[in-house]
Amino acid sequence: MVKFSEIKGFTFDMDGVLADTAKFHTVAWRQLAEKLGVTWNDDLQERLKGIDRMGSLNMILAEGNLENQYSQEQKEALAAEKNDNYRQLISTLTPSDVLPGMQAFLDSLKANGYLMSVASASKNAPFILDKLGLADYFVGVVDPASLHAGKPDPEIFVRAGELLKLAPEQLIGLEDSAAGIQSINGAGQTSLGIGNPQVLSEADLNFESTAEVTLAAIQAKLG
Ligand code: BG6
Ligand code: MG
């Protein structure tokens, strides 16, 4: 494990790490799944975290053995329908929807000269960061539309590190999804998982909630 003193920057997932939006993705996907006759379950809900829009739809269809039932055009219409519902749900986001402790954490990173970037699979990330009043903390936001492969592929976190011009060993990536932790690990960064440590068992560092994530707590774990 790297030493705390080597760390110079942080790469952030957004949904479920910075923004309290994972619940809205769940509501909108569940509504679509049930309309298609796919039974919702906790395992599916967890596996969808971090997965891009079309990848998520494909996982839902596979869950109901429906993967060959829809043309690409129909799938695009279903994904657009989910996104319309999701956009409705996030239209009222305000800075009070920043997850507990994250505003203070970002402030402490800024005050201590760390660089930050965003590695979110969401095409809605710039809109959400703006709504939450967080956009100015970040050197850059990776455009997920420009990726060859989404999480768990390392590409998005590699790109988030490149935005900061820092080496992987100088970076900590924060994630609430198992797919995202795999992406961070593949990019060679130190992975910090937020949520159930059993689900995020591959993370280098584990925190049960965003409220526990502070520079002091990270230093205590890294040494
Ligand atoms: C990830 C979420 O951050 O973004 C997923 O964890 C979501 O649940 C994905 O499907 C894509 O988001 P969007 O906003 O582009 O549909
Ligand atoms: Mg997430």
Side-chain angles (χ1 to χ4, degrees):
M1 197 102 83
V2 295
K3 287 207 188 78
F4 180 75
S5 57
E6 291 174 60
I7 300 299
K8 303 283 178 247
F10 289 78
T11 53
F12 282 85
D13 175 42
M14 181 189 68
D15 294 314
V17 169
L18 294 167
D20 194 8
T21 41
K23 62 188 183 195
F24 296 137
H25 279 297
T26 295
V27 167
W29 278 128
R30 182 172 185 157
Q31 196 177 331
L32 184 71
E34 289 176 347
K35 184 179 131 175
L36 300 176
V38 178
T39 311
W40 195 256
N41 62 73
D42 290 350
D43 175 60
L44 174 63
Q45 181 169 319
E46 199 57 49
R47 282 186 291 120
L48 288 174
K49 284 187 189 166
I51 307 300
D52 64 28
R53 201 178 300 165
M54 200 44 85
S56 298
L57 176 62
N58 285 327
M59 278 170 72
I60 289 168
L61 293 176
E63 188 74 14
N65 297 315
L66 297 171
E67 54 267 65
N68 300 317
Q69 302 297 308
Y70 296 92
S71 66
Q72 190 56 29
E73 203 179 0
Q74 287 170 318
K75 286 205 240 175
E76 270 156 29
L78 292 172
E81 182 183 325
K82 181 268 173 178
N83 193 50
D84 287 347
N85 287 338
Y86 177 67
R87 293 280 299 200
Q88 194 86 28
L89 294 169
I90 61 172
S91 63
T92 57
L93 286 178
T94 69
S96 68
D97 296 294
V98 175
L99 279 163
M102 281 293 119
Q103 184 83 53
F105 183 56
L106 293 173
D107 283 331
S108 73
L109 294 183
K110 191 176 168 187
N112 286 282
Y114 291 97
L115 298 178
M116 300 168 247
S117 60
V118 175
S120 170
S122 175
K123 293 178 178 156
N124 293 300
F127 171 80
I128 291 171
L129 292 170
D130 201 43
K131 283 278 218 186
L132 298 183
L134 298 182
D136 291 347
Y137 286 93
F138 302 100
V139 173
V141 178
V142 177
D143 176 8
S146 68
L147 300 173
H148 299 95
K151 299 171 190 178
D153 189 278
E155 186 180 9
I156 191 166
F157 277 95
V158 169
R159 293 270 303 281
E162 286 169 358
L163 287 174
L164 304 180
K165 301 186 170 58
L166 292 171
E169 310 77 58
Q170 297 176 303
L171 294 165
I172 291 178
L174 293 87
E175 261 289 348
D176 69 322
S177 72
I181 292 294
Q182 282 181 42
S183 177
I184 297 169
N185 290 344
Q189 302 173 15
T190 297
S191 55
L192 187 159
I194 301 170
N196 184 338
Q198 269 147 8
V199 174
L200 306 176
S201 59
E202 291 180 31
D204 296 313
L205 311 173
N206 285 95
F207 289 84
E208 297 254 1
S209 78
T210 54
E212 295 167 20
V213 180
T214 63
L215 269 177
I218 293 170
Q219 184 166 17
K221 284 185 195 273
L222 274 185

